[in-house]
Amino acid sequence: MENNCKVIELSDVETLLSYEDRRLSELFPNPEERMFHQWESRGRKEFLEHYASLGWSFKVEIEPDIILGYLLAQPILFFAGQPQTLWVESLQASSLEARDLLTDLAYRMAKEKHFQGVYYPSQQKIFNSISVFKPEIWSEQPYFVKTTRR
């Protein structure tokens, strides 16, 4: 399946949006509930377009336009005391194999580029995939201050 892992390009955004719509439809059959979750989804069009333009995000597909998962990532310079880290904003996968492939790809890519580490989203399904790398709980616990009413 590794040969089916490709860099996300701007031309992939519509296919990724379709994947997200299917995924959210399965998770939230109620259209109103689904709409609220779409507002907070990291698979929104503006997220996908931003990450697609950076060249650090990947998709797993079994055929053109049939996606099994994707990873949105970007390098972060001088963050939390580290000169270079890879920030994984989102990882969605329809199979364990696709999930494991994407988490491993992020790890190997960061290691190959001599980054100091990878920040993965804090989700149990992802922890199961990266436990082989002996992840640590991020010691930085920043405060978050809202700048909008939401």
Side-chain angles (χ1 to χ4, degrees), residues 4-150:
N4 299 331
C5 198
K6 297 179 179 154
V7 173
I8 292 174
E9 298 176 2
L10 282 171
S11 60
D12 296 317
V13 169
E14 291 304 318
T15 305
L16 291 168
L17 284 171
S18 295
Y19 173 85
E20 274 299 306
D21 286 344
R22 284 191 308 278
R23 191 181 71 78
L24 288 175
S25 293
E26 291 171 7
L27 291 172
F28 307 102
N30 179 310
E32 286 182 5
E33 187 179 5
R34 184 168 54 250
M35 182 179 66
F36 288 118
H37 284 278
Q38 284 173 326
W39 290 344
E40 295 181 357
S41 169
R42 293 177 181 185
R44 294 191 315 266
K45 187 173 186 174
E46 61 270 21
F47 269 74
L48 296 171
E49 288 174 341
H50 169 75
Y51 281 95
S53 69
L54 300 177
W56 291 82
S57 299
F58 294 87
K59 64 182 177 176
V60 176
E61 57 185 15
I62 51 175
E63 293 177 25
D65 298 335
I66 300 179
I67 292 180
L68 292 179
Y70 69 92
L71 162 94
L72 302 179
Q74 66 180 316
I76 303 285
L77 303 178
F78 307 110
F79 178 72
Q82 301 297 321
Q84 298 177 83
T85 55
L86 185 65
W87 177 264
V88 176
E89 181 68 32
S90 180
L91 191 152
Q92 300 299 331
S94 300
S95 72
L96 295 176
E97 188 179 7
R99 179 201 69 189
D100 291 349
L101 175 64
L102 290 165
T103 55
D104 185 62
L105 177 65
Y107 174 80
R108 286 185 295 113
M109 183 172 55
K111 192 170 181 151
E112 181 181 296
K113 299 292 182 185
H114 305 288
F115 284 15
Q116 280 66 52
V118 181
Y119 288 102
Y120 292 94
S122 179
Q123 299 170 349
Q124 186 60 40
K125 63 182 182 177
I126 292 174
F127 180 81
N128 292 340
S129 184
I130 63 173
S131 62
V132 68
F133 303 131
K134 298 180 175 66
E136 299 174 16
I137 294 175
W138 187 16
S139 62
E140 302 282 328
Q141 294 182 351
Y143 290 101
F144 176 72
V145 178
K146 290 183 181 183
T147 57
T148 62
R149 288 185 179 193
R150 215 171 166 278

